[in-house]
Amino acid sequence: MSTTIALGQPTVGDAELAAIAEVFKSGWIAGNGPTSRKFEAAFAAATQADYALATSNCTTALHLAFHCLGAGKGDEVLVADYTFPATGHAVMYTGAEPVFVDVLPGTATIDPAAVEAAITDKTVGIAAVDYAGQSADLSTLEQIASKHGLWLVEDAAPAAGAQHAGRSAGSFGDAGCFSFHGRKGITSGEGGALTTKHADLDAKARKLHAFGIESALDRAESTDLPVPEFDELGFNYKLSDIAAAIMTVQLERMPTLIADRTKVADRYNAALAGNELVTIPQTAEGNVHTWQAYTLTLDPTIDRGALAQQLRSQGVQCNIGTYASHLQPLYGFKQTCPVSADLFKRHFTIPMHANLTDDEVQRVIDTLTTALPQARR
Ligand SMILES: *Cc1c(COP(=O)(O)O)cnc(C)c1O
């Protein structure tokens, strides 16, 4: 049998290894050190944000954002239903309640009209999600947030490098949260970042991500012996400087990695646009997609499980899109989001990463186009 074509794969190599060697030599491999500072400055510049804070992952960045924006018991946060459940979890960590809002069928991002309809006197903020590497309609959401006095957080976990209306993911609303997990477009295995335009939010999150005290780097650079005081219940949400070193290289490579993924997406789109058994992913006007994942919507006549079995037996990995949060038992089945529920059933992701060869892309296309008619119910 031919080799397996992975659904996702990191693109890491000699340049990242050299950066790791450097940080080893520097002696500072823990978090919140000189290499993290350097990465944060580069990431803020790349996302057109005023501030960036490196975090252990996106979920901790989301928790910090919601916490620092004041979410707590008795509050409702409007959350895009179609997402990896980290978004809802992070709202719950603060004691606030996630209220799941349906998404648009084309982009699978939160429906601004449904957001407005879901606002109550308990609503404090909106958490939008950039599904599969494409921004939500953030410009419209900013207007809604400001009209109703709500904050807006962008869960940009898969969307480093994405653009919406001429602006970068991470520059919208009150905060942007990114993931550098191995399945994302740029990665250090695990990792994340919190971007913001607010100096006070950055300062608060920065303090709380390191136990609630001033940074060890500032103390190390001092000539006297500063003894920090613990006056706030902080967390340990730091990114190690080893990971920050990897991320500094990944960020430099980001334009090339996105271009490589875009080439794959263009070939899939060209080959599958005319196939009546699938709908190709839609990129909204004014968006630059980063293609963290490539998601087809299957015709209702297709048995997704049978299709997956066909592909997997031929070494082509595949998966669902993501989760309909309102259908997860943890959240108590309080809302209905029919579009999200439908995408949860019919979305189908096929291999997408920057290492795919032309031959592999062709093999995915051929395997899929042969298997589709056979997987009809
Ligand atoms: C991957 C992902 C997360 C979780 O990111 P971690 O870095 O693993 O915490 C959160 N939200 C979305 C939309 C994601 O795709």
Side-chain angles (χ1 to χ4, degrees):
M1 203 190 90
S2 41
T3 52
T4 298
I5 303 177
L7 187 65
Q9 207 173 70
T11 305
V12 285
D14 291 342
E16 286 80 4
L17 284 173
I20 294 169
E22 278 292 305
V23 80
F24 279 13
K25 271 186 244 151
S26 83
W28 192 305
I29 60 173
N32 215 5
T35 311
S36 285
R37 293 274 164 89
K38 185 178 153 205
F39 168 64
E40 286 166 349
F43 196 72
T47 55
Q48 297 175 323
D50 293 309
Y51 305 92
L53 173 70
T55 61
S56 50
N57 56 60
C58 181
T59 309
T60 55
L62 287 164
H63 181 200
L64 281 171
F66 298 143
H67 179 86
C68 293
L69 288 163
K73 211 167 163 45
D75 294 337
E76 292 178 356
V77 178
L78 305 180
V79 177
D81 189 65
Y82 199 61
T83 182
F84 187 78
T87 329
H89 279 39
V91 169
M92 284 179 71
Y93 296 159
T94 69
E97 193 179 330
V99 173
F100 297 107
V101 174
D102 212 353
V103 297
L104 298 163
T107 56
T109 56
I110 196 164
D111 180 349
V115 167
E116 283 218 272
I119 295 171
T120 71
D121 53 9
K122 289 184 181 169
T123 309
V124 293
I126 304 165
V129 173
D130 298 340
Y131 175 68
Q134 169 172 218
S135 291
D137 186 355
L138 296 163
S139 39
T140 304
L141 293 166
E142 275 186 337
Q143 286 166 18
I144 293 171
S146 103
K147 183 169 135 198
H148 295 274
L150 308 174
W151 45 255
L152 172 65
V153 170
E154 177 188 9
D155 179 348
Q163 299 256 331
H164 170 75
R167 288 163 58 193
S168 295
S171 70
F172 290 88
D174 297 282
C177 299
F178 292 84
S179 173
F180 309 133
H181 179 263
R183 279 295 317 279
K184 312 297 185 189
I186 51 173
T187 180
S188 50
E190 301 278 354
L194 170 61
T195 59
T196 183
K197 62 183 172 215
H198 303 302
D200 54 345
L201 197 157
D202 176 71
K204 187 163 189 188
R206 196 167 286 279
K207 185 181 172 197
L208 290 179
H209 100 302
F211 301 104
I213 52 173
E214 73 175 75
S215 90
L217 179 59
D218 292 344
R219 272 179 279 134
E221 283 170 350
S222 173
T223 49
D224 53 10
L225 183 63
V227 179
E229 265 190 339
F230 293 82
D231 59 356
E232 230 179 325
L233 184 61
F235 313 100
N236 182 4
Y237 287 173
K238 302 186 299 298
L239 185 73
S240 83
D241 269 32
I242 303 171
I246 299 171
M247 284 313 303
T248 305
V249 177
Q250 287 275 289
L251 190 61
E252 284 163 13
R253 297 174 72 182
M254 185 170 76
T256 315
L257 297 176
I258 294 174
D260 290 346
R261 286 170 179 266
T262 305
K263 263 188 232 152
V264 175
D266 288 346
R267 281 195 58 201
Y268 283 156
N269 284 341
L272 299 167
N275 192 317
E276 79 276 12
L277 297 178
V278 294
T279 306
I280 62 169
Q282 184 185 312
T283 304
E285 181 82 35
N287 274 3
V288 177
H289 204 311
T290 62
W291 300 106
Q292 182 260 337
Y294 183 90
T295 309
L296 295 161
T297 309
L298 302 178
D299 187 80
T301 62
I302 301 293
D303 178 340
R304 185 171 64 174
L307 182 68
Q309 225 165 34
Q310 278 278 339
L311 262 60
R312 286 180 178 178
S313 72
Q314 292 174 71
V316 176
Q317 286 190 354
C318 51
N319 208 345
I320 64 167
T322 191
Y323 298 85
S325 300
H326 77 285
L327 297 177
Q328 306 310 315
L330 169 72
Y331 304 122
F333 306 111
K334 290 180 188 145
Q335 289 88 33
T336 50
C337 302
V339 176
S340 173
D342 183 50
L343 298 178
F344 183 44
K345 269 197 244 144
R346 293 200 290 135
H347 260 180
F348 191 70
T349 54
I350 58 176
M352 171 55 80
H353 53 81
N355 309 335
L356 285 169
T357 65
D358 286 350
D359 286 353
E360 285 174 327
V361 172
Q362 196 56 48
R363 215 180 103 207
V364 173
I365 292 167
D366 293 344
T367 310
L368 179 67
T369 43
T370 308
L372 273 167
Q374 295 166 0
R376 279 190 125 136
R377 271 188 253 267

